[in-house]
Amino acid sequence: MTEIPVNTSPFTCGSAPGALPGLGHIWPLLHLPTAFLAELPAYGDLVEIRLGRTRAYVPCHPELLRQVLAGDRTFDKGGSYYDRARAMAGNGVATCPHQDHRRQRRLLQPAFNRARLEKYAEVMEQEITALAASWSPGQVIDAYPALYALSLRTVTRTLFGTHVDEEAVEGIRRSFETAFSGFFRQMFMPPALRRAPLPANLRHRRALRHLRGTVERIVASRPRDGADRGDLLSVMLASRDEDGGPGLSDAEIHDQVVTVLAAGTETVAATLTWAFLLLSRNPAEQEKLRAECAAVLGGRPARWADVERLPRAGRVVDETVRLYPPGWLFTRVATAETELAGRSLPPGATVVISPVPVHRHPGVHANAQEFDPDRWLAARAAALPRGAFVGFGSGARKCVGDAYGMTECVLALATLVSRWDVRAEPGADLRPVPLAAFYRPRRLALRLTRRTGPG
Ligand code: HEM
């Protein structure tokens, strides 16, 4: 176990071995992402890897990662991940450069305040209750698609209120699946190959056009009567700039909507899928969680007011995001010559942001590979170095939907685990695969056994 003295150490720099000509480290990144990234701290606090022919630098020490995330002017959104994300989601709050970010974030932030979250939690509760009721004893479910359907319905209803029909949700789901599948493959593809008229590229472009068209239609058909319908779109339409003039333009609203759909669906579905896998592998933890839910809920579905009374559920979510952060890899680009870990980086240098090297660093987290939700008990968490948990990012670009995502995951886990015992079926393929913008198990079937209530 390596001890890493935080703040005071002269940071070490190194390179990851095993780069292949032309491909660099793309193969292990796409096929063994957790193992590859978790191993990087063995080579230094700042480790050079190759994305194809491009050199990229991975901060593996919590303090270095914090410096990059805090320095959002010097380490701006850019590089291969955000170039791809911008091509798909436009210039929304998650993808825009530093110069546009403060304004966009200020205009969007009110959509995530407590009063609105409380409203969104009602939608979450309804959708989770409906899912729990749709399951039957002995059934085997394909975990990710079931949880993806839950998070997509929730995010579309909280975005658009009742102003969206089943057909539009299904259209969004289909075009998202095609447009975002293979995100990472596309990201690492040479641009000429991406532009070629290959069937996969044509399908991808068609799906993006369809997605944009569907979102445009929903936004355009919304009455502009200034009424607050309690959804995210109401906040965007009512936004005002600092001088009182109109806030987000139609094009900007469109990009924010696609951004929220992209950032708020897969992340929650992946977290819940990994959580069920971890609980299935750790039956004692599943029982402890069920006991907490029984005491607090007494068999009814979890709702907003319960979230803070379900601290164990919160710890299970934190621990899941520590071990399997859905946002496993992002990029930044240096906007000027700068120094990191004592190493000089030229303008245009790519920095890879991943929570994995820090979250699985044996010098940061004791028994780092183990699922131990109680490591997030206040006294134990307080002893961790600053920056030990970055599952939602940090600094100015920290996840704006963190409380939304936590609430949805806690409510879903509490209601579903109280009613159903979940066990992974044999034959699961648990390799984390970055199939779209985030990563999740390749295949996980769960067998359901009824515990309490009407299902
Ligand atoms: C468990 C669930 C979630 C996880 C693990 C997660 C993770 C993250 C991470 C790591 C970032 C920072 C990316 C970077 O620094 O490059 C981020 C940003 C963002 N997330 Fe989340 N997220 C989750 C849920 C959500 C939800 C539910 C929404 C919206 C409904 C959302 C919307 C966003 C947006 C808009 C940003 C960009 C913020 C900015 O740049 O100002 N996320 N998220």
Side-chain angles (χ1 to χ4, degrees), residues 82 93-94 101 105 263-264 267 271 332 391-392 397 399-400 404:
Y82 277 110
V93 68
H101 182 251
R105 181 83 184 216
T267 45
T271 304
R332 296 290 194 269
F392 293 93
R397 308 302 295 247
C399 181
V400 73
Y404 180 123

Side-chain angles (χ1 to χ4, degrees), residues 112 120 123-124 127 148-161 164 169 172 176 231-232 257 259-266 268 404 408:
F112 293 92
Y120 305 153
V123 174
M124 294 171 189
E127 292 296 338
Y148 184 84
L150 169 72
S151 60
L152 180 64
R153 287 184 56 81
T154 305
V155 86
T156 43
R157 283 187 59 197
T158 51
L159 257 168
F160 306 125
V164 59
V169 175
I172 291 174
F176 244 93
D231 53 21
L232 274 138
V257 168
T259 297
V260 170
L261 282 170
T265 308
E266 264 191 73
V268 169
Y404 180 123
E408 189 175 353

Side-chain angles (χ1 to χ4, degrees), residues 7 22 207 232 250-251 257 272 315 325 328 360 363 387 406 439:
N7 287 336
L232 274 138
D250 279 7
V257 168
L272 288 172
R315 293 200 295 276
W328 67 287
R360 291 194 177 237
M406 277 303 289
Y439 80 176

Side-chain angles (χ1 to χ4, degrees), residues 16 75 156-157 193 214 243 451:
F75 298 104
T156 43
R157 283 187 59 197
L193 201 57
T214 310
D243 62 5
R451 295 302 292 245

Side-chain angles (χ1 to χ4, degrees), residues 23-37 49-52 81 182-189 328-329 431-440 442:
L23 282 177
H25 295 100
I26 289 176
W27 196 90
L29 268 175
L30 286 182
H31 295 93
L32 301 161
T34 307
F36 175 72
L37 290 162
I49 63 170
R50 297 285 170 119
L51 304 178
Y81 181 95
F183 180 94
F184 280 94
R185 244 177 299 123
Q186 288 242 347
M187 163 178 154
F188 294 133
M189 232 182 229
W328 67 287
L329 183 141
R431 284 173 298 172
V433 280
L435 287 180
F438 302 95
Y439 80 176
R440 60 167 168 99
R442 188 180 286 268

Side-chain angles (χ1 to χ4, degrees), residues 146-224:
L147 296 163
Y148 184 84
L150 169 72
S151 60
L152 180 64
R153 287 184 56 81
T154 305
V155 86
T156 43
R157 283 187 59 197
T158 51
L159 257 168
F160 306 125
T162 49
H163 197 76
V164 59
D165 53 37
E166 288 296 326
E167 207 183 311
V169 175
E170 181 52 22
I172 291 174
R173 189 192 64 74
R174 264 188 283 111
S175 37
F176 244 93
E177 207 168 277
T178 315
F180 279 75
S181 73
F183 180 94
F184 280 94
R185 244 177 299 123
Q186 288 242 347
M187 163 178 154
F188 294 133
M189 232 182 229
L193 201 57
R194 219 161 36 221
R195 284 193 295 269
L198 303 171
N201 291 347
L202 297 176
R203 263 198 314 276
H204 168 77
R205 277 177 231 152
R206 247 195 328 271
L208 262 190
R209 272 200 306 276
H210 184 262
L211 176 65
R212 299 190 81 82
T214 310
V215 169
E216 258 159 32
R217 263 196 311 283
I218 297 175
V219 174
S221 65
R222 175 74 164 239
R224 306 290 166 121

